[in-house]
């Protein structure tokens, strides 16, 4: 139960880090829509003016995913390090009566856990890479969030066009400066705002997937580890092909070999001492018999 609670706490911390550790730099006072306008200008082509280029959306999405790409793999490594500690503690506790097996068991557990860790890290890395190249979701929350965000577009554009109004616009609890946008092309600013709202709405889905998919993968990996891989991996490592592992377990460690050698020398010296004492005792007893 303690391990389950600890894993749940680690997952909550990971989810909170994804949401709070990497704030949107575009929400800084003087940076609002700057990156979106730059990407839109660079992705301009021969097309209708009221269509937003998908390549611009993917470029913005790719950069946001790149910034958080290390967090999932770091979390996976942290989880498997913790699980390895727990599994080793359990196996060492249950093998206390068999000290000759503990070294082999520890090595086998570390081998199995390291293989599972490598597989999980690679699997999560592929999840992250997929988010960089794909922009799809069937989650209705995306449309709902985007509709809420885009509903403020008219108010935002009025504020940008009105030179006498306030220079601060409230977006997701952040007060962003709009003064630097008044000298820009109005159509470009409007498209940049639309693009940012789409990315912001979709980013919530991406973060949700990075948490949910990692959590589901961990649950599946743990079940597979306990049900199939752990026992089989340990037995395979201990026994090995042609029962070679059993022979390794029966081999004495260098420390035991040294102690055995020293003990054999001590026994040999005691035997020599016994023979010497017997010889000396015999010589002492011989003159006594002659006197009698």
């Amino acid at each position: 139960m303690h391990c389950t609670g600890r894993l749940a706490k680690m997952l909550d911390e990971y989810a909170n880090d994804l949401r709070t550790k990497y704030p949107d730099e575009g929400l800084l006072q003087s940076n609002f829509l700057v990156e979106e306008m730059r990407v839109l200008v660079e992705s301009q082509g021969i097309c209708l003016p009221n269509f937003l280029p998908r390549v611009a959306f993917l470029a913005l999405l790719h950069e946001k995913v790149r910034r958080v790409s290390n967090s999932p793999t770091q979390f996976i490594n942290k989880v498997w390090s913790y699980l390895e500690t727990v599994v080793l503690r359990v196996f060492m506790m249950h093998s206390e009566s068999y000290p000759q097996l503990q070294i082999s068991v520890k090595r086998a557990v570390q081998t199995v856990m390291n293989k599972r860790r490598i597989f999980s890290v690679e699997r999560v890395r592929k999840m992250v890479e997929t988010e960089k190249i794909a922009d799809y979701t069937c989650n209705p929350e995306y449309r709902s969030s985007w509709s809420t965000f885009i509903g403020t577009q008219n108010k935002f554009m009025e504020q940008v066009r009105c030179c006498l109004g306030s220079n601060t616009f409230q977006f997701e609890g952040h007060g962003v400066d709009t003064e630097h946008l008044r000298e820009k092309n109005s159509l470009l600013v409007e498209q940049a705002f639309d693009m940012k709202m789409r990315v912001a709405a979709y980013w919530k889905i991406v973060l949700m997937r990075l948490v949910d998919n990692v959590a589901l993968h961990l649950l599946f990996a743990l079940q597979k580890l306990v049900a199939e891989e752990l026992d089989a991996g340990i037995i395979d490592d201990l026994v090995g092909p042609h029962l070679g592992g059993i022979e390794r377990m029966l081999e004495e460690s260098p420390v035991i070999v040294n102690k055995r050698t020293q003990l054999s020398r001590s026994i040999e010296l005691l035997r020599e001492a016994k023979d010497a004492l017997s010889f000396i005792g015999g010589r002492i007893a011989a003159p006594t018999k002659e006197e009698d």
Side-chain angles (χ1 to χ4, degrees):
M1 291 298 292
H2 171 74
C3 180
T4 304
R6 175 61 179 153
L7 287 176
K9 182 179 179 181
M10 292 170 68
L11 185 63
D12 289 340
E13 292 174 352
Y14 162 65
N16 290 331
D17 283 345
L18 281 181
R19 288 191 292 265
T20 61
K21 193 176 180 179
Y22 303 95
D24 188 350
E25 294 181 352
L27 295 180
L28 299 179
Q29 281 288 330
S30 58
N31 288 350
F32 191 61
L33 299 186
V34 171
E35 181 66 12
E36 286 76 12
M37 288 188 293
R38 183 189 67 80
V39 173
L40 283 171
V41 170
E42 291 180 354
S43 59
Q44 284 180 348
I46 303 175
C47 58
L48 295 175
N50 59 335
F51 279 82
L52 297 178
R54 181 171 179 266
V55 64
F57 181 91
L58 289 177
L60 294 169
L61 177 64
H62 183 282
E63 178 60 23
K64 290 179 75 68
V65 174
R66 185 195 64 79
R67 294 183 62 217
V68 304
S69 59
N70 289 330
S71 288
T73 53
Q74 290 174 356
F75 171 70
I76 285 293
N77 280 315
K78 180 180 177 181
V79 168
W80 282 108
S81 296
Y82 169 71
L83 290 174
E84 181 177 334
T85 302
V86 173
V87 173
L88 277 175
R89 187 187 306 132
V90 172
F91 272 92
M92 292 299 100
M93 180 180 64
H94 286 283
S95 60
E96 286 180 350
S97 301
Y98 308 94
Q100 70 275 18
L101 293 177
Q102 286 192 325
I103 296 178
S104 298
V105 168
K106 182 177 180 179
R107 182 180 62 246
V109 169
Q110 290 174 336
T111 300
V112 173
M113 298 298 286
N114 190 52
K115 289 180 180 178
R116 174 48 60 180
R117 180 208 302 265
I118 293 173
F119 176 81
S120 290
V121 169
E122 185 61 25
R123 180 70 178 270
V124 170
R125 185 178 291 116
K126 289 180 179 179
M127 291 180 189
V128 175
E129 291 300 316
T130 301
E131 296 293 350
K132 292 181 180 180
I133 61 175
D135 55 338
Y136 170 78
T137 180
C138 61
N139 193 330
E141 186 177 339
Y142 166 72
R143 283 184 173 273
S144 175
S145 297
W146 177 76
S147 298
T148 302
F149 291 155
I150 205 65
T152 63
Q153 185 176 39
N154 291 335
K155 181 180 178 181
F156 171 77
M157 292 306 300
E158 290 177 2
Q159 185 170 321
V160 171
R161 296 189 184 102
C162 182
C163 298
L164 301 178
S166 172
N167 293 330
T168 303
F169 178 75
Q170 293 295 324
F171 176 69
E172 289 196 305
H174 298 272
V176 295
D177 186 34
T178 59
E179 186 176 5
H180 63 287
L181 300 174
R182 288 172 178 164
E183 60 185 19
K184 304 294 183 180
N185 181 278
S186 178
L187 178 60
L188 179 61
V189 173
E190 187 173 359
Q191 289 179 335
F193 184 86
D194 189 356
M195 180 68 73
K196 188 169 190 66
M197 299 306 104
R198 294 176 186 272
V199 173
Y202 185 68
W203 185 240
K204 292 183 176 182
I205 305 298
V206 172
L207 292 181
M208 190 183 304
R209 280 202 296 245
L210 288 178
V211 175
D212 290 349
N213 290 344
V214 168
L216 292 174
H217 167 70
L218 277 177
L219 290 175
F220 175 78
L222 286 175
Q223 184 178 12
K224 190 174 180 63
L225 175 73
V226 174
E228 302 177 15
E229 298 176 349
L230 196 56
D231 290 345
I234 291 176
I235 292 174
D236 182 66
D237 192 82
L238 289 178
V239 177
H242 311 297
L243 303 180
I246 295 179
E247 295 178 358
R248 290 198 309 269
M249 285 188 289
L250 294 177
E251 292 177 357
E252 294 179 333
S253 66
V255 176
I256 300 298
V257 171
N258 290 334
K259 289 184 178 180
R260 185 181 295 279
T261 302
Q262 293 174 3
L263 184 59
S264 298
R265 290 175 181 173
S266 299
I267 293 173
E268 186 65 27
L269 289 174
L270 288 173
R271 286 175 178 171
E272 292 177 0
K274 177 185 176 182
D275 293 341
L277 288 173
S278 297
F279 176 75
I280 294 172
R283 293 188 61 180
I284 293 175
T288 304
K289 290 180 179 181
E290 290 178 358
E291 293 176 357
D292 292 341

